[in-house]
């Protein structure tokens, strides 16, 4: 049985990773530069690799790192810097389709595999009251694209095409496939 090392400070990623019962779990908060000028679909892979490389793994351990970004009409939306930026992002997403990309890297100190998951999400039209009320909850301030589908942000989602867990920040099916390539059975 392998030990899994999550390279993330995200409580929701930790909760999702607990789905892989029977494996010891350790959390490390990676210290890495999260700036990347690549398009969102490529940036998430690069950023997850950087995070994974920050983790010191011991024999029998596998590091798991992920990064999630939202892309709307070719523009990348990361985590908002403040409430004004969150409002701007939510106004742009209102009534539109966007893509959520998560790069996921599995690394055991010698071998590294990285894959990217893409999910399409459509927001219903939002009123300014909806947006301001949501921002006042504090929920959007630490999430790519300024929303969390696992929380109140779910009320804005009118359609989804792809992996729901990807929008939460950890595509479980893809992660399971990567871990299987490392000989880790779930």
């Amino acid at each position: 049985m392998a030990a899994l090392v999550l390279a993330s400070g995200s409580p929701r990623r930790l909760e999702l990773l607990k789905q892989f019962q029977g494996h010891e779990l350790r959390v490390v908060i990676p210290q890495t530069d999260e700036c990347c000028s690549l398009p969102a679909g490529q940036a998430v892979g690069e950023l997850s690799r950087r995070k994974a490389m920050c983790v010191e793994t011991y024999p029998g351990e596998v590091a798991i790192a992920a990064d999630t970004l939202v892309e709307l009409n070719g523009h990348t939306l990361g985590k908002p810097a403040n409430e004004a930026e969150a409002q701007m992002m939510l106004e742009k997403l209102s009534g539109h389709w966007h893509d959520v990309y998560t790069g996921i890297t599995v690394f055991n100190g010698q071998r590294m595999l990285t894959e990217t998951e893409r999910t399409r999400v459509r927001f219903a039209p939002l009123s300014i009251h909806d947006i301001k009320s949501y921002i006042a909850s504090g929920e959007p301030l630490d999430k790519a694209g300024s929303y969390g589908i696992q929380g109140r942000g779910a009320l804005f989602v009118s359609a989804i095409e792809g992996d729901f867990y990807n929008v939460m920040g950890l595509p479980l099916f893809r992660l399971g496939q990567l871990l299987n390539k490392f000989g880790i059975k779930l």
Side-chain angles (χ1 to χ4, degrees), residues 64-118:
I64 298 166
D67 197 84
T68 301
L69 292 170
V70 171
E71 185 178 76
L72 175 68
N73 299 325
H75 298 284
T76 299
L77 306 177
K79 294 176 184 175
N82 51 46
E83 290 182 359
E85 191 172 25
Q87 180 174 332
M88 178 192 67
M89 286 184 195
L90 291 167
E91 287 173 354
K92 287 181 179 181
L93 292 171
S94 175
H96 296 284
W97 283 97
H98 60 276
D99 295 314
V100 177
Y101 291 96
T102 300
I104 188 161
T105 297
V106 177
F107 180 54
N108 67 1
Q110 298 173 355
R111 181 178 175 212
M112 179 182 293
L113 294 175
T114 301
E115 293 188 10
T116 300
E117 187 72 32
R118 173 182 167 253

Side-chain angles (χ1 to χ4, degrees), residues 10-125:
S10 166
R12 75 182 174 275
R13 284 194 179 118
L14 178 59
E15 283 302 312
L16 289 172
L17 193 56
K18 288 180 180 178
Q19 301 297 318
F20 299 104
Q21 297 176 4
H23 296 280
E24 184 181 326
L25 181 59
R26 181 166 64 97
V27 177
V28 174
I29 299 176
Q31 302 298 316
T32 185
D33 177 16
E34 291 199 41
C35 294
C36 187
S37 61
L38 295 169
Q42 295 172 317
V44 293
E46 173 61 27
L47 294 171
S48 72
R49 279 188 293 277
R50 287 182 196 172
K51 289 177 183 180
M53 291 174 60
C54 289
V55 176
E56 182 178 354
T57 56
Y58 301 102
E61 287 187 331
V62 174
I64 298 166
D67 197 84
T68 301
L69 292 170
V70 171
E71 185 178 76
L72 175 68
N73 299 325
H75 298 284
T76 299
L77 306 177
K79 294 176 184 175
N82 51 46
E83 290 182 359
E85 191 172 25
Q87 180 174 332
M88 178 192 67
M89 286 184 195
L90 291 167
E91 287 173 354
K92 287 181 179 181
L93 292 171
S94 175
H96 296 284
W97 283 97
H98 60 276
D99 295 314
V100 177
Y101 291 96
T102 300
I104 188 161
T105 297
V106 177
F107 180 54
N108 67 1
Q110 298 173 355
R111 181 178 175 212
M112 179 182 293
L113 294 175
T114 301
E115 293 188 10
T116 300
E117 187 72 32
R118 173 182 167 253
T119 302
R120 302 262 305 144
V121 178
R122 181 172 174 77
F123 263 30

